[in-house]
Amino acid sequence: MPWLLLALAIASEVTATTALKLSDGFTHLGWTTLTALGYITSFILLAQALKLQLDMGTAYAVWAGAGTALIALIGAAFMGESLTPLKIGGILLIIGGVVVLNLAATP
């Protein structure tokens, strides 16, 4: 259950960050509202996942790393942002770091 909550927290954060870009500096009310609700939902779900005994460092690394990687991919796929080999390498390093933290957290 905590991993499901964490996955939902990541989805909410990614939705909020995408809406943040679309809000055009908070000038579009709908996207601005979605941004605020997405971040609030994400933090509530992350807090609940931590309450259910996920290690804080691991949970945050997965939340932040997955969110960062997904946003980079969404930016490239849907918002005309470039996806250079260096960016791909950075995404792979983020994923690798999250994997290492998860392995280190396993008793």
Side-chain angles (χ1 to χ4, degrees):
M1 184 63 151
W3 287 102
L4 175 61
L5 291 173
L6 185 58
L8 293 172
I10 292 165
S12 296
E13 188 268 334
V14 168
T15 299
T17 302
T18 303
L20 181 62
K21 171 78 171 175
L22 297 171
S23 77
D24 195 29
F26 295 131
T27 60
H28 294 356
L29 182 61
W31 292 119
T32 298
T33 302
L34 184 59
T35 298
L37 291 174
Y39 283 129
I40 290 167
T41 301
S42 181
F43 282 116
I44 289 169
L45 292 167
L46 179 59
Q48 291 303 309
L50 290 172
K51 184 178 175 181
L52 295 174
Q53 305 305 319
L54 278 182
D55 287 347
M56 182 173 50
T58 300
Y60 187 75
V62 171
W63 180 79
T68 301
L70 288 169
I71 285 299
L73 295 173
I74 288 169
F78 301 108
M79 301 202 176
E81 297 176 5
S82 64
L83 191 59
T84 65
L86 193 57
K87 284 185 181 180
I88 293 169
I91 291 169
L92 293 173
L93 285 171
I94 291 168
I95 293 168
V98 169
V99 168
V100 168
L101 279 171
N102 277 309
L103 291 173
T106 305

